[in-house]
Amino acid sequence: MFDPCNAACKPSGRNAPTSCVMVIFGGTGDLSQRKLIPALFHLIREGFLSGELRVLCVGQRPFTVDEYRDMIDKGAKGFIEPSLFDAAAWNAFVARLDYLSGIVADQNTYQRLSDRLEAMRLEEGASADRMFYLSTPPSAAPVIVEGLAAAGLVKEDLGWSRIVVEKPFGQDLDSATKLNAQIAHVCDEHQVYRIDHYLGKETVQNILVFRFGNSLFEPLWNRNHIDFVEITATETLGIGNRGRYYEEAGALRDMVTNHLLQLLSLIAMEPPIAFDADAVRDQKSQLWNSIMPMTPEQIIQRTARGQYGPGFAGGKRVLGYRDEENVAPDSRTETYAAVDFRIDNWRWAGVPFYLRTGKALAAQVTEIAIHFKHPPLALFSHIRSENDLPLHCIEPNVITLRIQPNEGITLSFGAKQPGSEMRTSRVSMDFYYHETFNERLPSAYETLLLDVMRGNATQFLRRDGVEAQWRLITPILETWKALSPPQFPNYSFGSDGPQVADALLARNGHAWTPLVPAQDKSSA
Ligand SMILES: NC(=O)c1ccc[n+]([C@@H]2O[C@H](COP(=O)([O-])OP(=O)(O)OC[C@H]3O[C@@H](n4cnc5c(N)ncnc54)[C@H](OP(=O)(O)O)[C@@H]3O)[C@@H](O)[C@H]2O)c1
């Protein structure tokens, strides 16, 4: 008899081969110190790296190997989770890190890298499987990929060769298409892993299990039952010392491209025919392609932007965006963006998908709220209370998928209050990851690095997906640029965002879920 569980749920396995050489370009930078190196150490401590992993950083600074190890010891050690820290294991890990100093624009660097890798393979027994992680500014990516190719390092004669490219993948459709073409010129798409760390989060991965691993929800997952969907990713902090980066990026580029459009695709895509890289990414691309790019008139109607002004945080007065370091005093850069996307397919026609993101807001929340329609008959609304006041109507059901904090899922529904009168309340069923599984959640980078080593590209962006996203975002960027300067700042630090974003939903009779700081349940 066919056993679907046996067929589909083959564990990827703690023992899947993971021996490789990981070459990090930009191994001295913030991402390497805070995320990549700690993720590798966590994977070793958790027993996931069964093979012989070697790490070689290629950096432009004239460090010796010992100086590099010292830098990592001082920098990355502070980001190791205390529950996984062990001094002897850490020292042994750091003592095996390698460093090669070289300028990325100099072809000689790649020849020396190739020689070093070959020596590691022949003399030290290192693997011929290689991961090249580009943790460098976006402008360096084409130079490095071409340098690797010219030195023969993307050939897969003896082992695999995979290139991990960090976001952002371009600044608009033109630059993304050009970057993709430059990469495609020297290596095959199956070798390219475009990383968006959001996709490595447990709760993001759980969206697919929630939708396609349960028979309860999928029949309701369409325009007949769902009224609207809210996708929220907000932060309480301002831009801090990232003014230079943020002035170029803005909220729409920084968060809506990649992160929020990824969440949208997971919530709205059709079921893939299998849980493999191409099947899942085919469905994502199909979903993005079924959203028509908006006309300038639609953009005016269906988008909102904002920029934070001064306010109070933790009882202290805090700066507005235009007063931050490296920000122009008349900056037009948005620190808040909201878009009402419509998906022009059979399942979702007419259902608004509201995406919002911003800095310096009232709460740090990343979640998706699925708002269901009212019941077809308001059975209880005619019953009056003793004072002849209408009873509370039952509010429509909402399923909330919390990405962070308090990772989990809440289903809210109406229930009768105890007593002889017919009174109703809104109650909820809650699932919290930490309460249920009582296990450490791996960081997104741990999950994704392991995926690269195992050759699983499901949670990485494919070329067509990147371009499909920019096809949606570029017209908004262009229209916003062409319009007369917005009245910025238009929301205060610590508020729920600009009024124009409320008006965006009010037009359709909807309202945003208020931003309420969550009570921490993670230690429960
Ligand atoms: N930091 C994060 O949390 C984060 C999150 C998501 C994505 N990212 C992406 O990850 C990448 C790295 O970010 P980061 O925050 O680590 O940046 P970073 O702190 O500025 O470090 C990047 C490293 O790249 C090297 N580098 C600088 N300029 C270069 C150039 N012109 N050509 C080649 N190498 C150069 C530098 O190392 P050497 O000079 O020593 O070689 C530097 O240490 C970026 O693409 C960023 O968008 C970062």
Side-chain angles (χ1 to χ4, degrees):
M1 203 172 108
F2 175 68
D3 178 352
C5 209
N6 231 353
C9 307
K10 291 210 182 85
S12 49
R14 291 169 83 94
N15 297 322
T18 50
S19 58
C20 69
V21 180
M22 178 173 173
V23 178
I24 308 178
F25 288 86
T28 54
D30 175 73
L31 184 71
S32 295
Q33 302 259 18
R34 285 194 307 111
K35 302 285 182 187
L36 300 181
I37 297 288
L40 292 172
F41 183 69
H42 292 161
L43 285 171
I44 290 170
R45 294 287 294 146
E46 292 273 54
F48 279 102
L49 296 187
S50 57
E52 174 81 349
L53 174 80
R54 299 292 302 270
V55 181
L56 168 62
C57 166
V58 181
Q60 307 200 101
R61 302 176 213 190
F63 283 149
T64 62
V65 176
D66 283 341
E67 282 168 340
Y68 179 63
R69 289 176 184 162
D70 195 44
M71 179 192 198
I72 293 297
D73 188 38
K74 292 201 177 90
K77 188 153 84 178
F79 296 98
I80 305 298
E81 285 190 21
S83 64
L84 293 178
F85 187 75
D86 173 87
W90 172 252
N91 291 339
F93 170 74
V94 172
R96 282 175 60 76
L97 296 175
D98 227 326
Y99 186 80
L100 184 98
S101 169
I103 302 299
V104 297
D106 181 357
Q107 188 54 39
N108 187 34
T109 301
Y110 304 92
Q111 200 46 56
R112 285 169 46 237
L113 173 63
S114 174
D115 294 345
R116 178 79 189 102
L117 290 171
E118 217 26 32
M120 281 167 88
R121 186 176 73 79
L122 295 173
E123 293 159 27
E124 301 166 34
S127 171
D129 294 330
R130 289 154 190 172
M131 179 201 312
F132 298 97
Y133 199 113
L134 276 44
S135 182
T136 45
S139 57
V143 183
I144 296 174
V145 174
E146 276 172 29
L148 291 172
L153 287 168
V154 298
K155 281 201 219 118
E156 298 193 294
D157 302 343
L158 297 173
W160 50 255
S161 175
R162 296 174 187 149
I163 300 175
V164 184
V165 186
E166 265 292 347
K167 76 165 209 122
F169 317 109
Q171 288 291 301
D172 52 22
L173 182 57
D174 278 352
S175 55
T177 309
K178 190 169 163 223
L179 176 63
N180 279 335
Q182 284 168 319
I183 293 174
H185 184 60
V186 292
C187 58
D188 196 86
E189 179 63 25
H190 82 267
Q191 298 176 276
V192 186
Y193 289 68
R194 295 176 192 81
I195 195 164
D196 176 356
H197 68 272
Y198 249 56
L199 294 177
K201 290 175 188 278
E202 286 285 304
T203 34
V204 172
Q205 300 203 350
N206 189 44
I207 295 172
L208 290 184
V209 177
F210 180 77
R211 282 191 61 196
F212 303 129
N214 298 289
S215 54
L216 182 61
F217 307 109
E218 198 51 24
L220 307 176
W221 221 252
N222 56 52
R223 66 179 191 286
N224 298 325
H225 300 279
I226 292 178
D227 189 14
F228 67 101
V229 177
E230 274 178 274
I231 303 182
T232 297
T234 56
E235 291 175 59
T236 50
L237 299 176
I239 50 117
N241 58 9
R242 296 181 71 217
R244 205 181 307 272
Y245 163 77
Y246 209 82
E247 278 284 89
E248 294 283 312
L252 190 71
R253 274 198 184 94
D254 190 41
M255 289 295 292
V256 180
T257 324
N258 302 318
H259 300 336
L260 295 197
L261 282 176
Q262 283 290 346
L263 295 181
L264 171 66
S265 69
L266 292 170
I267 278 297
M269 71 188 208
E270 294 301 314
I273 55 167
F275 189 56
D276 66 37
D278 274 332
V280 170
R281 296 186 300 177
D282 284 348
Q283 291 302 350
K284 286 184 176 182
S285 290
Q286 186 170 319
L287 189 276
W288 291 319
N289 285 330
S290 54
I291 302 173
M292 288 297 129
M294 286 188 242
T295 62
E297 293 70 32
Q298 288 170 325
I299 289 166
I300 292 166
Q301 288 284 314
R302 305 218 313 251
T303 67
R305 54 187 159 152
Q307 187 190 77
Y308 65 86
F312 286 88
K316 285 190 189 149
R317 191 156 173 77
V318 281
L319 296 178
Y321 179 71
R322 289 178 175 184
D323 303 318
E324 306 270 21
E325 203 184 323
N326 294 321
V327 172
D330 58 349
S331 171
R332 290 177 60 173
T333 303
E334 79 286 355
T335 59
Y336 180 104
V339 185
D340 166 0
F341 278 116
R342 301 302 171 101
I343 301 170
D344 301 300
N345 67 12
W346 194 270
R347 185 192 282 260
W348 293 118
V351 179
F353 283 76
Y354 302 121
L355 277 53
R356 70 173 154 169
T357 184
K359 302 265 182 201
L361 292 166
Q364 175 161 4
V365 175
T366 304
E367 66 180 28
I368 302 169
I370 320 288
H371 295 261
F372 285 81
K373 290 188 170 171
H374 281 276
L377 181 67
L379 195 60
F380 307 108
S381 61
H382 65 286
I383 304 173
R384 315 290 290 184
S385 71
E386 277 177 3
N387 306 331
D388 203 30
L389 293 170
L391 290 176
H392 294 169
C393 287
I394 297 178
E395 290 178 55
N397 301 114
V398 180
I399 294 177
T400 306
L401 298 123
R402 290 185 308 277
I403 313 296
Q404 63 182 26
N406 299 333
E407 293 85 344
I409 297 170
T410 294
L411 166 61
S412 72
F413 57 100
K416 183 187 172 304
Q417 289 180 10
S420 54
E421 290 178 16
M422 178 55 84
R423 283 188 167 276
T424 64
S425 298
R426 196 177 213 212
V427 296
S428 67
M429 290 198 289
D430 290 304
F431 153 63
Y432 289 99
Y433 259 86
H434 287 94
E435 281 178 3
T436 306
F437 294 116
N438 201 19
E439 275 177 35
R440 171 183 173 269
L441 296 184
S443 74
Y445 280 97
E446 287 168 50
T447 304
L448 296 174
L449 285 173
L450 211 49
D451 279 350
V452 179
M453 292 177 203
R454 290 172 175 162
N456 180 359
T458 311
Q459 310 298 344
F460 294 81
L461 277 99
R462 208 170 53 188
R463 176 181 184 168
D464 57 329
V466 170
E467 290 171 19
Q469 290 191 7
W470 280 118
R471 257 192 292 281
L472 300 176
I473 297 298
T474 304
I476 303 177
L477 290 167
E478 287 172 353
T479 303
W480 281 1
K481 198 170 170 197
L483 290 172
S484 52
Q487 296 292 313
F488 283 168
N490 60 353
Y491 70 98
S492 355
F493 203 115
S495 67
D496 265 21
Q499 281 183 353
V500 283
D502 296 337
L504 186 75
L505 271 67
R507 213 172 273 139
N508 304 324
H510 298 144
W512 296 108
T513 302
L515 294 174
V516 181
Q519 287 183 328
D520 185 16
K521 302 253 182 193
S522 61
S523 54

